[in-house]
Amino acid sequence: MSDQSGRSDNFCYRHPDRESYILCQRCGRTVCAECQTQAAVGVHCPECRQEARQSAPKTKPAVVTAINRVRHGGGPIVTYSILAIMVVVYLLQQVTGGTVTGALAYHPGLTESQPWRMLTSLFVHSQGSIFHILFNGYALWLFGRMLEPSLGRWRFLTLYLLSGLGGSAAVLWLSPNTWVVGASGAVFGLFAAMFVIQRGLGGNATQLLVVIGLNLVIGFIPGSNISWQAHLGGLVVGALVALVFMKTRSPRQSGRQRLLLSGVLALLLVTIFLGTATLIPRLFG
């Protein structure tokens, strides 16, 4: 066996005084430990590493990709738009010191004179705790990105608004002396819709059912300051709307779908009218 220790190619090409027997996988030159960069197979020298980086496809951050998709008409535009409105309103709440909150929050006693508050309250959140908007925003972002592409933008928006309206209607009947803010009713409607759709398509919805149950139970904890009434109303209406979607999936049933959704809206309006005409005068008259 011949002695290889004296050969020049057994020394690092960048550090001639450092003996090495490791070769760059791309160019075949000898590299010492300092000059080695671990690759998927073997190692690369500094020049080959730089060349590989320059030739690699350029990727953009996820946020930039999402914005570009929205700009070109793709992605869950409704979900992102609702999130943007929620953030803007929350910032205005901090700046105005409660003026925006007082103008948009919902109280059952104002239903007859200012019925729009039943929906505007969906975009307002507690000023004193950022966790309120963070939880609702994250849930909307998570479930909106799954449901909106499947349902379509207008169906998703219908689901969101009807669920939120259902949450406010439940507050009207079950907690008529309470001020409420937040998108929780609408978010719980998304929870229920996801559950109904998964079960309807034969999927396993056990984990989602556990999530719904835990979040619903939290609202009953004394001192939690959470409107379980809005959660319950959103769940019921969200499940009902999702059931309509599942029963009228065929394009030939689009007319029937619109009719049934109109029926859900009419049922909510009748419920709100009865509460306003009978319950509210008795409490605030």
Side-chain angles (χ1 to χ4, degrees), residues 164-232:
L165 186 61
S168 295
V171 172
L172 168 63
W173 278 94
L174 302 176
S175 186
N177 289 303
T178 306
W179 282 94
V180 291
V181 293
S184 299
V187 166
F188 269 76
L190 301 186
F191 289 168
M194 194 70 185
F195 175 78
V196 170
I197 292 173
Q198 278 194 344
R199 288 298 300 269
L201 297 177
N204 186 351
T206 303
Q207 292 183 341
L208 180 57
L209 186 61
V210 172
V211 171
I212 294 174
L214 288 175
N215 282 280
L216 191 60
V217 168
I218 291 174
F220 290 93
I221 298 176
S224 62
N225 200 29
I226 296 175
S227 177
W228 60 266
Q229 298 88 350
H231 295 178
L232 183 61

Short mmCIF file of all heavy atoms in Angstrom, two decimals, residues 164-232:
data_model
loop_
_atom_site.label_atom_id
_atom_site.label_comp_id
_atom_site.label_asym_id
_atom_site.label_seq_id
_atom_site.Cartn_x
_atom_site.Cartn_y
_atom_site.Cartn_z
N GLY A 164 -73.83 34.74 12.94
CA GLY A 164 -73.69 35.87 13.85
C GLY A 164 -75.02 36.44 14.26
O GLY A 164 -75.24 36.81 15.43
N LEU A 165 -75.96 36.52 13.30
CA LEU A 165 -77.30 37.01 13.62
C LEU A 165 -78.01 36.06 14.57
O LEU A 165 -78.72 36.48 15.49
CB LEU A 165 -78.10 37.17 12.33
CG LEU A 165 -79.48 37.81 12.44
CD1 LEU A 165 -79.38 39.23 12.99
CD2 LEU A 165 -80.18 37.81 11.07
N GLY A 166 -77.78 34.75 14.38
CA GLY A 166 -78.36 33.77 15.28
C GLY A 166 -77.81 33.91 16.69
O GLY A 166 -78.55 33.75 17.68
N GLY A 167 -76.52 34.24 16.81
CA GLY A 167 -75.94 34.47 18.13
C GLY A 167 -76.57 35.66 18.82
O GLY A 167 -76.89 35.61 20.02
N SER A 168 -76.80 36.75 18.07
CA SER A 168 -77.42 37.94 18.66
C SER A 168 -78.87 37.66 19.05
O SER A 168 -79.36 38.14 20.08
CB SER A 168 -77.36 39.10 17.67
OG SER A 168 -76.01 39.48 17.43
N ALA A 169 -79.58 36.87 18.22
CA ALA A 169 -80.96 36.52 18.54
C ALA A 169 -81.03 35.69 19.82
O ALA A 169 -81.95 35.88 20.64
CB ALA A 169 -81.58 35.74 17.38
N ALA A 170 -80.07 34.81 20.02
CA ALA A 170 -80.05 34.01 21.25
C ALA A 170 -79.79 34.90 22.47
O ALA A 170 -80.37 34.68 23.54
CB ALA A 170 -78.98 32.93 21.14
N VAL A 171 -78.93 35.90 22.32
CA VAL A 171 -78.68 36.85 23.41
C VAL A 171 -79.96 37.61 23.73
O VAL A 171 -80.29 37.86 24.89
CB VAL A 171 -77.54 37.82 23.04
CG1 VAL A 171 -77.42 38.93 24.08
CG2 VAL A 171 -76.22 37.07 22.91
N LEU A 172 -80.70 37.99 22.70
CA LEU A 172 -81.96 38.72 22.88
C LEU A 172 -82.93 37.93 23.77
O LEU A 172 -83.56 38.49 24.67
CB LEU A 172 -82.59 38.99 21.52
CG LEU A 172 -84.04 39.48 21.49
CD1 LEU A 172 -84.17 40.83 22.17
CD2 LEU A 172 -84.54 39.55 20.05
N TRP A 173 -83.01 36.63 23.56
CA TRP A 173 -83.97 35.80 24.30
C TRP A 173 -83.42 35.28 25.63
O TRP A 173 -84.18 35.14 26.59
CB TRP A 173 -84.41 34.62 23.43
CG TRP A 173 -85.49 34.98 22.46
CD1 TRP A 173 -85.32 35.36 21.16
CD2 TRP A 173 -86.89 35.01 22.72
NE1 TRP A 173 -86.53 35.64 20.59
CE2 TRP A 173 -87.52 35.43 21.52
CE3 TRP A 173 -87.68 34.74 23.83
CZ2 TRP A 173 -88.90 35.57 21.42
CZ3 TRP A 173 -89.06 34.88 23.72
CH2 TRP A 173 -89.66 35.29 22.53
N LEU A 174 -82.14 34.97 25.66
CA LEU A 174 -81.59 34.29 26.85
C LEU A 174 -80.85 35.21 27.81
O LEU A 174 -80.65 34.85 28.97
CB LEU A 174 -80.65 33.16 26.40
CG LEU A 174 -81.29 32.09 25.50
CD1 LEU A 174 -80.24 31.09 25.05
CD2 LEU A 174 -82.42 31.39 26.22
N SER A 175 -80.42 36.38 27.32
CA SER A 175 -79.69 37.31 28.20
C SER A 175 -79.99 38.74 27.79
O SER A 175 -79.09 39.47 27.34
CB SER A 175 -78.18 37.02 28.13
OG SER A 175 -77.47 37.80 29.05
N PRO A 176 -81.26 39.18 27.94
CA PRO A 176 -81.68 40.48 27.39
C PRO A 176 -81.13 41.70 28.10
O PRO A 176 -81.35 42.82 27.63
CB PRO A 176 -83.21 40.41 27.53
CG PRO A 176 -83.45 39.45 28.65
CD PRO A 176 -82.35 38.43 28.55
N ASN A 177 -80.41 41.53 29.19
CA ASN A 177 -79.86 42.68 29.91
C ASN A 177 -78.34 42.81 29.72
O ASN A 177 -77.68 43.48 30.49
CB ASN A 177 -80.16 42.57 31.41
CG ASN A 177 -81.63 42.79 31.71
OD1 ASN A 177 -82.19 43.82 31.36
ND2 ASN A 177 -82.27 41.82 32.33
N THR A 178 -77.81 42.15 28.68
CA THR A 178 -76.36 42.05 28.53
C THR A 178 -75.88 42.78 27.29
O THR A 178 -76.48 42.65 26.21
CB THR A 178 -75.93 40.57 28.44
OG1 THR A 178 -76.44 39.87 29.57
CG2 THR A 178 -74.42 40.45 28.39
N TRP A 179 -74.78 43.53 27.45
CA TRP A 179 -74.05 44.07 26.29
C TRP A 179 -73.12 42.97 25.77
O TRP A 179 -72.46 42.30 26.55
CB TRP A 179 -73.21 45.29 26.69
CG TRP A 179 -73.99 46.55 26.86
CD1 TRP A 179 -74.51 47.05 28.02
CD2 TRP A 179 -74.31 47.50 25.83
NE1 TRP A 179 -75.15 48.24 27.79
CE2 TRP A 179 -75.05 48.55 26.45
CE3 TRP A 179 -74.07 47.57 24.47
CZ2 TRP A 179 -75.52 49.64 25.74
CZ3 TRP A 179 -74.55 48.66 23.75
CH2 TRP A 179 -75.27 49.68 24.38
N VAL A 180 -73.06 42.81 24.45
CA VAL A 180 -72.18 41.79 23.87
C VAL A 180 -71.38 42.38 22.72
O VAL A 180 -71.86 43.24 21.98
CB VAL A 180 -72.96 40.56 23.39
CG1 VAL A 180 -73.53 39.77 24.55
CG2 VAL A 180 -74.05 40.94 22.42
N VAL A 181 -70.15 41.90 22.59
CA VAL A 181 -69.29 42.24 21.46
C VAL A 181 -68.55 40.97 21.05
O VAL A 181 -68.40 40.04 21.84
CB VAL A 181 -68.26 43.33 21.82
CG1 VAL A 181 -68.94 44.66 22.10
CG2 VAL A 181 -67.40 42.91 23.01
N GLY A 182 -68.10 40.94 19.81
CA GLY A 182 -67.27 39.84 19.37
C GLY A 182 -67.89 38.97 18.31
O GLY A 182 -69.11 38.91 18.15
N ALA A 183 -67.03 38.26 17.59
CA ALA A 183 -67.45 37.41 16.47
C ALA A 183 -67.71 35.98 16.90
O ALA A 183 -67.82 35.09 16.06
CB ALA A 183 -66.38 37.44 15.38
N SER A 184 -67.81 35.73 18.22
CA SER A 184 -67.90 34.35 18.71
C SER A 184 -69.10 33.60 18.15
O SER A 184 -69.01 32.42 17.84
CB SER A 184 -67.95 34.34 20.24
OG SER A 184 -66.78 34.92 20.78
N GLY A 185 -70.26 34.27 18.05
CA GLY A 185 -71.45 33.61 17.52
C GLY A 185 -71.21 33.12 16.11
O GLY A 185 -71.54 31.97 15.77
N ALA A 186 -70.63 33.98 15.26
CA ALA A 186 -70.34 33.59 13.88
C ALA A 186 -69.28 32.50 13.82
O ALA A 186 -69.36 31.57 13.01
CB ALA A 186 -69.89 34.82 13.09
N VAL A 187 -68.26 32.61 14.69
CA VAL A 187 -67.19 31.61 14.71
C VAL A 187 -67.73 30.24 15.11
O VAL A 187 -67.37 29.22 14.52
CB VAL A 187 -66.07 32.06 15.67
CG1 VAL A 187 -65.12 30.91 15.97
CG2 VAL A 187 -65.30 33.23 15.06
N PHE A 188 -68.62 30.21 16.10
CA PHE A 188 -69.22 28.94 16.49
C PHE A 188 -70.10 28.40 15.38
O PHE A 188 -70.28 27.18 15.25
CB PHE A 188 -70.01 29.10 17.80
CG PHE A 188 -69.19 28.82 19.02
CD1 PHE A 188 -68.26 29.75 19.48
CD2 PHE A 188 -69.30 27.62 19.71
CE1 PHE A 188 -67.48 29.49 20.61
CE2 PHE A 188 -68.54 27.35 20.83
CZ PHE A 188 -67.62 28.29 21.28
N GLY A 189 -70.66 29.28 14.57
CA GLY A 189 -71.39 28.82 13.39
C GLY A 189 -70.48 28.11 12.41
O GLY A 189 -70.87 27.11 11.80
N LEU A 190 -69.25 28.61 12.27
CA LEU A 190 -68.27 27.94 11.41
C LEU A 190 -67.89 26.58 11.99
O LEU A 190 -67.72 25.61 11.25
CB LEU A 190 -67.02 28.81 11.25
CG LEU A 190 -67.20 30.21 10.66
CD1 LEU A 190 -65.84 30.88 10.45
CD2 LEU A 190 -67.96 30.15 9.34
N PHE A 191 -67.73 26.53 13.32
CA PHE A 191 -67.46 25.24 13.98
C PHE A 191 -68.54 24.22 13.62
O PHE A 191 -68.24 23.09 13.21
CB PHE A 191 -67.42 25.41 15.50
CG PHE A 191 -66.23 26.14 16.04
CD1 PHE A 191 -66.21 26.57 17.36
CD2 PHE A 191 -65.14 26.43 15.25
CE1 PHE A 191 -65.12 27.25 17.88
CE2 PHE A 191 -64.04 27.11 15.75
CZ PHE A 191 -64.03 27.52 17.07
N ALA A 192 -69.80 24.62 13.82
CA ALA A 192 -70.92 23.72 13.57
C ALA A 192 -70.99 23.31 12.11
O ALA A 192 -71.24 22.15 11.79
CB ALA A 192 -72.22 24.38 14.01
N ALA A 193 -70.77 24.27 11.20
CA ALA A 193 -70.83 23.97 9.77
C ALA A 193 -69.75 22.97 9.38
O ALA A 193 -69.99 22.03 8.61
CB ALA A 193 -70.67 25.26 8.96
N MET A 194 -68.55 23.15 9.92
CA MET A 194 -67.46 22.23 9.62
C MET A 194 -67.81 20.82 10.11
O MET A 194 -67.53 19.83 9.42
CB MET A 194 -66.17 22.72 10.30
CG MET A 194 -64.91 22.03 9.80
SD MET A 194 -64.53 22.54 8.12
CE MET A 194 -63.12 21.49 7.77
N PHE A 195 -68.42 20.74 11.28
CA PHE A 195 -68.81 19.44 11.83
C PHE A 195 -69.86 18.77 10.94
O PHE A 195 -69.73 17.58 10.59
CB PHE A 195 -69.34 19.61 13.25
CG PHE A 195 -69.88 18.35 13.86
CD1 PHE A 195 -69.02 17.39 14.38
CD2 PHE A 195 -71.25 18.11 13.89
CE1 PHE A 195 -69.51 16.22 14.93
CE2 PHE A 195 -71.75 16.95 14.44
CZ PHE A 195 -70.88 16.00 14.96
N VAL A 196 -70.90 19.50 10.57
CA VAL A 196 -71.98 18.94 9.75
C VAL A 196 -71.45 18.49 8.39
O VAL A 196 -71.79 17.41 7.89
CB VAL A 196 -73.11 19.98 9.58
CG1 VAL A 196 -74.12 19.51 8.54
CG2 VAL A 196 -73.80 20.23 10.90
N ILE A 197 -70.59 19.31 7.78
CA ILE A 197 -70.05 18.98 6.46
C ILE A 197 -69.14 17.76 6.53
O ILE A 197 -69.20 16.86 5.68
CB ILE A 197 -69.32 20.19 5.86
CG1 ILE A 197 -70.33 21.30 5.55
CG2 ILE A 197 -68.55 19.81 4.61
CD1 ILE A 197 -69.71 22.61 5.13
N GLN A 198 -68.28 17.71 7.54
CA GLN A 198 -67.39 16.55 7.69
C GLN A 198 -68.18 15.26 7.89
O GLN A 198 -67.89 14.24 7.27
CB GLN A 198 -66.43 16.77 8.86
CG GLN A 198 -65.22 17.61 8.53
CD GLN A 198 -64.14 17.53 9.59
OE1 GLN A 198 -64.38 17.09 10.71
NE2 GLN A 198 -62.94 17.97 9.25
N ARG A 199 -69.17 15.31 8.75
CA ARG A 199 -69.99 14.13 8.98
C ARG A 199 -70.78 13.76 7.73
O ARG A 199 -70.93 12.58 7.39
CB ARG A 199 -70.95 14.38 10.15
CG ARG A 199 -70.28 14.41 11.52
CD ARG A 199 -69.63 13.07 11.85
NE ARG A 199 -70.60 11.98 11.87
CZ ARG A 199 -71.27 11.59 12.96
NH1 ARG A 199 -71.05 12.19 14.11
NH2 ARG A 199 -72.12 10.60 12.88
N GLY A 200 -71.27 14.76 7.03
CA GLY A 200 -72.05 14.50 5.82
C GLY A 200 -71.24 13.87 4.72
O GLY A 200 -71.76 13.12 3.90
N LEU A 201 -69.94 14.17 4.70
CA LEU A 201 -69.06 13.60 3.68
C LEU A 201 -68.37 12.32 4.15
O LEU A 201 -67.49 11.79 3.46
CB LEU A 201 -68.00 14.63 3.27
CG LEU A 201 -68.53 15.91 2.61
CD1 LEU A 201 -67.39 16.88 2.32
CD2 LEU A 201 -69.29 15.58 1.32
N GLY A 202 -68.75 11.84 5.33
CA GLY A 202 -68.20 10.59 5.84
C GLY A 202 -66.88 10.73 6.57
O GLY A 202 -66.21 9.73 6.83
N GLY A 203 -66.48 11.95 6.92
CA GLY A 203 -65.22 12.16 7.63
C GLY A 203 -65.36 11.95 9.12
O GLY A 203 -66.47 11.89 9.67
N ASN A 204 -64.22 11.85 9.79
CA ASN A 204 -64.19 11.69 11.25
C ASN A 204 -64.15 13.07 11.89
O ASN A 204 -63.17 13.80 11.77
CB ASN A 204 -62.97 10.87 11.66
CG ASN A 204 -62.96 10.53 13.14
OD1 ASN A 204 -63.78 11.05 13.91
ND2 ASN A 204 -62.06 9.67 13.56
N ALA A 205 -65.24 13.43 12.58
CA ALA A 205 -65.35 14.76 13.18
C ALA A 205 -65.25 14.72 14.70
O ALA A 205 -65.65 15.67 15.37
CB ALA A 205 -66.66 15.40 12.75
N THR A 206 -64.69 13.65 15.25
CA THR A 206 -64.63 13.50 16.71
C THR A 206 -63.80 14.60 17.35
O THR A 206 -64.21 15.20 18.35
CB THR A 206 -64.04 12.12 17.08
OG1 THR A 206 -64.83 11.10 16.48
CG2 THR A 206 -64.03 11.94 18.59
N GLN A 207 -62.62 14.87 16.79
CA GLN A 207 -61.76 15.90 17.37
C GLN A 207 -62.43 17.27 17.32
O GLN A 207 -62.34 18.05 18.29
CB GLN A 207 -60.43 15.95 16.63
CG GLN A 207 -59.55 14.71 16.84
CD GLN A 207 -58.21 14.83 16.14
OE1 GLN A 207 -58.05 15.63 15.23
NE2 GLN A 207 -57.25 14.03 16.55
N LEU A 208 -63.12 17.56 16.24
CA LEU A 208 -63.81 18.84 16.13
C LEU A 208 -64.93 18.93 17.15
O LEU A 208 -65.15 20.00 17.75
CB LEU A 208 -64.37 19.01 14.72
CG LEU A 208 -65.12 20.32 14.43
CD1 LEU A 208 -64.23 21.52 14.71
CD2 LEU A 208 -65.60 20.33 12.99
N LEU A 209 -65.61 17.83 17.39
CA LEU A 209 -66.68 17.82 18.39
C LEU A 209 -66.12 18.11 19.78
O LEU A 209 -66.75 18.82 20.58
CB LEU A 209 -67.39 16.46 18.38
CG LEU A 209 -68.62 16.32 19.27
CD1 LEU A 209 -69.69 17.31 18.84
CD2 LEU A 209 -69.16 14.90 19.21
N VAL A 210 -64.94 17.58 20.08
CA VAL A 210 -64.30 17.84 21.37
C VAL A 210 -63.95 19.33 21.49
O VAL A 210 -64.17 19.95 22.54
CB VAL A 210 -63.03 16.98 21.53
CG1 VAL A 210 -62.26 17.39 22.78
CG2 VAL A 210 -63.39 15.50 21.60
N VAL A 211 -63.42 19.91 20.42
CA VAL A 211 -63.08 21.34 20.43
C VAL A 211 -64.32 22.19 20.67
O VAL A 211 -64.31 23.13 21.48
CB VAL A 211 -62.41 21.73 19.09
CG1 VAL A 211 -62.25 23.25 19.00
CG2 VAL A 211 -61.05 21.06 18.96
N ILE A 212 -65.41 21.86 19.98
CA ILE A 212 -66.66 22.61 20.16
C ILE A 212 -67.15 22.49 21.60
O ILE A 212 -67.54 23.47 22.22
CB ILE A 212 -67.73 22.10 19.18
CG1 ILE A 212 -67.33 22.41 17.73
CG2 ILE A 212 -69.09 22.73 19.49
CD1 ILE A 212 -68.26 21.81 16.69
N GLY A 213 -67.13 21.26 22.12
CA GLY A 213 -67.61 21.03 23.48
C GLY A 213 -66.80 21.80 24.51
O GLY A 213 -67.37 22.44 25.41
N LEU A 214 -65.48 21.78 24.38
CA LEU A 214 -64.63 22.47 25.34
C LEU A 214 -64.86 23.97 25.31
O LEU A 214 -64.98 24.63 26.35
CB LEU A 214 -63.15 22.16 25.05
CG LEU A 214 -62.67 20.75 25.41
CD1 LEU A 214 -61.23 20.56 24.96
CD2 LEU A 214 -62.78 20.50 26.90
N ASN A 215 -64.94 24.54 24.11
CA ASN A 215 -65.14 25.98 23.99
C ASN A 215 -66.52 26.39 24.46
O ASN A 215 -66.71 27.50 25.00
CB ASN A 215 -64.93 26.42 22.54
CG ASN A 215 -63.46 26.53 22.16
OD1 ASN A 215 -62.81 27.51 22.47
ND2 ASN A 215 -62.95 25.51 21.51
N LEU A 216 -67.50 25.52 24.28
CA LEU A 216 -68.85 25.84 24.75
C LEU A 216 -68.92 25.79 26.27
O LEU A 216 -69.54 26.66 26.90
CB LEU A 216 -69.84 24.85 24.15
CG LEU A 216 -71.33 25.18 24.32
CD1 LEU A 216 -71.65 26.52 23.66
CD2 LEU A 216 -72.19 24.07 23.71
N VAL A 217 -68.25 24.81 26.87
CA VAL A 217 -68.26 24.67 28.33
C VAL A 217 -67.57 25.84 29.01
O VAL A 217 -68.00 26.31 30.08
CB VAL A 217 -67.61 23.34 28.75
CG1 VAL A 217 -67.35 23.31 30.25
CG2 VAL A 217 -68.49 22.17 28.34
N ILE A 218 -66.50 26.35 28.39
CA ILE A 218 -65.76 27.47 28.98
C ILE A 218 -66.68 28.66 29.22
O ILE A 218 -66.53 29.40 30.20
CB ILE A 218 -64.58 27.87 28.06
CG1 ILE A 218 -63.51 26.78 28.06
CG2 ILE A 218 -63.98 29.20 28.50
CD1 ILE A 218 -62.39 27.02 27.08
N GLY A 219 -67.67 28.85 28.36
CA GLY A 219 -68.58 29.97 28.50
C GLY A 219 -69.47 29.90 29.73
O GLY A 219 -70.03 30.90 30.16
N PHE A 220 -69.60 28.70 30.32
CA PHE A 220 -70.44 28.54 31.51
C PHE A 220 -69.65 28.71 32.81
O PHE A 220 -70.23 28.63 33.89
CB PHE A 220 -71.10 27.16 31.50
CG PHE A 220 -72.15 27.00 30.43
CD1 PHE A 220 -71.82 26.49 29.19
CD2 PHE A 220 -73.45 27.38 30.66
CE1 PHE A 220 -72.77 26.34 28.20
CE2 PHE A 220 -74.42 27.24 29.68
CZ PHE A 220 -74.08 26.72 28.44
N ILE A 221 -68.34 28.89 32.71
CA ILE A 221 -67.53 29.07 33.92
C ILE A 221 -67.85 30.42 34.55
O ILE A 221 -67.79 31.46 33.86
CB ILE A 221 -66.03 28.97 33.59
CG1 ILE A 221 -65.70 27.59 33.03
CG2 ILE A 221 -65.19 29.27 34.83
CD1 ILE A 221 -64.25 27.44 32.60
N PRO A 222 -68.19 30.46 35.84
CA PRO A 222 -68.52 31.74 36.49
C PRO A 222 -67.35 32.72 36.40
O PRO A 222 -66.19 32.36 36.62
CB PRO A 222 -68.79 31.32 37.95
CG PRO A 222 -69.18 29.88 37.87
CD PRO A 222 -68.36 29.30 36.75
N GLY A 223 -67.69 33.96 36.05
CA GLY A 223 -66.66 34.99 35.96
C GLY A 223 -65.90 35.01 34.64
O GLY A 223 -64.99 35.83 34.47
N SER A 224 -66.24 34.12 33.72
CA SER A 224 -65.52 34.08 32.44
C SER A 224 -65.87 35.25 31.54
O SER A 224 -65.14 35.57 30.60
CB SER A 224 -65.81 32.77 31.71
OG SER A 224 -67.18 32.66 31.40
N ASN A 225 -67.03 35.89 31.80
CA ASN A 225 -67.47 37.04 31.02
C ASN A 225 -67.60 36.70 29.53
O ASN A 225 -67.27 37.49 28.65
CB ASN A 225 -66.50 38.22 31.20
CG ASN A 225 -67.14 39.55 30.83
OD1 ASN A 225 -68.35 39.72 30.94
ND2 ASN A 225 -66.33 40.49 30.38
N ILE A 226 -68.06 35.47 29.26
CA ILE A 226 -68.24 34.99 27.90
C ILE A 226 -69.73 34.74 27.66
O ILE A 226 -70.41 34.16 28.50
CB ILE A 226 -67.45 33.69 27.67
CG1 ILE A 226 -65.95 33.95 27.79
CG2 ILE A 226 -67.76 33.10 26.30
CD1 ILE A 226 -65.10 32.70 27.69
N SER A 227 -70.22 35.16 26.53
CA SER A 227 -71.64 35.00 26.21
C SER A 227 -71.87 33.61 25.61
O SER A 227 -71.78 33.42 24.39
CB SER A 227 -72.08 36.09 25.22
OG SER A 227 -73.43 35.90 24.86
N TRP A 228 -72.20 32.66 26.48
CA TRP A 228 -72.50 31.32 25.97
C TRP A 228 -73.78 31.33 25.15
O TRP A 228 -73.99 30.47 24.27
CB TRP A 228 -72.63 30.33 27.13
CG TRP A 228 -73.73 30.64 28.12
CD1 TRP A 228 -73.61 31.33 29.28
CD2 TRP A 228 -75.12 30.27 28.00
NE1 TRP A 228 -74.85 31.42 29.91
CE2 TRP A 228 -75.78 30.78 29.15
CE3 TRP A 228 -75.86 29.57 27.05
CZ2 TRP A 228 -77.15 30.60 29.35
CZ3 TRP A 228 -77.22 29.39 27.25
CH2 TRP A 228 -77.85 29.89 28.39
N GLN A 229 -74.63 32.33 25.39
CA GLN A 229 -75.87 32.43 24.62
C GLN A 229 -75.57 32.66 23.13
O GLN A 229 -76.19 32.05 22.25
CB GLN A 229 -76.74 33.57 25.16
CG GLN A 229 -77.18 33.39 26.60
CD GLN A 229 -76.18 33.94 27.62
OE1 GLN A 229 -75.05 34.30 27.26
NE2 GLN A 229 -76.59 34.03 28.87
N ALA A 230 -74.61 33.56 22.85
CA ALA A 230 -74.23 33.82 21.46
C ALA A 230 -73.59 32.59 20.84
O ALA A 230 -73.82 32.28 19.66
CB ALA A 230 -73.26 35.00 21.40
N HIS A 231 -72.78 31.88 21.63
CA HIS A 231 -72.16 30.65 21.13
C HIS A 231 -73.23 29.63 20.74
O HIS A 231 -73.15 29.01 19.68
CB HIS A 231 -71.25 30.05 22.20
CG HIS A 231 -70.07 30.92 22.52
ND1 HIS A 231 -69.14 30.59 23.49
CD2 HIS A 231 -69.65 32.10 22.00
CE1 HIS A 231 -68.22 31.53 23.54
NE2 HIS A 231 -68.51 32.46 22.65
N LEU A 232 -74.22 29.47 21.61
CA LEU A 232 -75.27 28.48 21.36
C LEU A 232 -76.09 28.86 20.13
O LEU A 232 -76.38 28.00 19.28
CB LEU A 232 -76.17 28.38 22.60
CG LEU A 232 -77.28 27.33 22.55
CD1 LEU A 232 -76.69 25.94 22.40
CD2 LEU A 232 -78.14 27.41 23.81
#
